[in-house]
Amino acid sequence: RSTGENQSYLARSYITPKPNIADWLDRAVVPIARDRVKGATVTPPAGPGYTMVRDNKDQPDFRVLDLPKGRELSFAGSPDGVAGAITGFNFDDVAKADQVDFSKASQSVTNTFDGLTITVKIAAKGMDHWATVAATGTSPMTQEEAARINARVNGWAFKLMDMGVTQFTATLETLLKPLPGK
């Protein structure tokens, strides 16, 4: 109540405090819709790098360019989760990027139909995997979007959830049918 007044008020809050610091993080670091994604190039920690693309937004599945001779995808949509990994970018924690060694990091470079390129580098630190994000654009609109993304992520490393690690670092072999006899 206010000083000198007899009237008092009861206030209720609908905010539930969250005990985990990570619950307070804004997780919308890279807000990219799947229909914008044209393709991605992955350089995994082991095995050869590879590129996945689709010709237009209406094409549901990505295809892998330059499949090894005699090999085929395990199923038509096997590259989809890897190519669209950026659309589900999620993390558990944030740290200064200089606390993780990214000198030998694997990476995933995602390209959109409108000219935005997002590079995610992934490095292990202990049992955890951390990622840095950088964006570039080829048109004034995507350059502005890239600048907004970079302003949020510059200097930070994001601790990836297990699914994110699997998608961003998948080897080509995981997308292919097993060789006969294996």
Side-chain angles (χ1 to χ4, degrees):
R1 69 183 171 137
S2 298
T3 305
E5 292 184 14
N6 290 332
Q7 178 70 45
S8 62
Y9 300 91
L10 173 64
R12 289 193 177 141
S13 170
Y14 294 102
I15 298 174
T16 305
K18 297 180 180 181
N20 185 355
I21 292 173
D23 291 337
W24 293 86
L25 297 172
D26 180 1
R27 296 179 191 267
V29 174
V30 188
I32 304 297
R34 186 186 187 281
D35 68 339
R36 288 182 64 192
V37 177
K38 181 177 183 176
T41 299
V42 175
T43 306
Y50 57 97
T51 300
M52 300 152 292
V53 297
R54 59 185 181 160
D55 300 323
N56 59 61
K57 295 177 182 185
D58 297 326
Q59 188 176 346
D61 295 323
F62 292 85
R63 58 186 167 83
V64 176
L65 298 180
D66 302 323
L67 279 174
K69 189 173 182 167
R71 301 297 302 272
E72 59 186 87
L73 295 174
S74 58
F75 62 97
S78 67
D80 294 352
V82 179
I86 196 67
T87 65
F89 185 87
N90 211 335
F91 56 94
D92 283 335
D93 202 357
V94 177
K96 290 285 188 178
D98 61 7
Q99 295 178 6
V100 181
D101 179 12
F102 287 96
S103 63
K104 296 178 183 167
S106 58
Q107 73 176 15
S108 175
V109 180
T110 303
N111 299 298
T112 65
F113 286 105
D114 57 0
L116 182 68
T117 299
I118 302 169
T119 301
V120 177
K121 292 188 176 190
I122 303 96
K125 181 179 179 185
M127 297 299 292
D128 299 323
H129 287 82
W130 293 81
T132 59
V133 178
T136 60
T138 59
S139 69
M141 183 182 72
T142 58
Q143 287 172 348
E144 185 178 309
E145 182 179 14
R148 283 193 309 271
I149 291 169
N150 289 333
R152 293 179 61 108
V153 301
N154 192 24
W156 296 102
F158 302 90
K159 181 180 164 193
L160 294 176
M161 300 169 88
D162 290 341
M163 179 57 89
V165 174
T166 302
Q167 289 179 322
F168 281 116
T169 63
T171 63
L172 178 58
E173 194 61 36
T174 62
L175 305 179
L176 304 176
K177 284 185 180 177
L179 290 169
K182 288 194 175 186

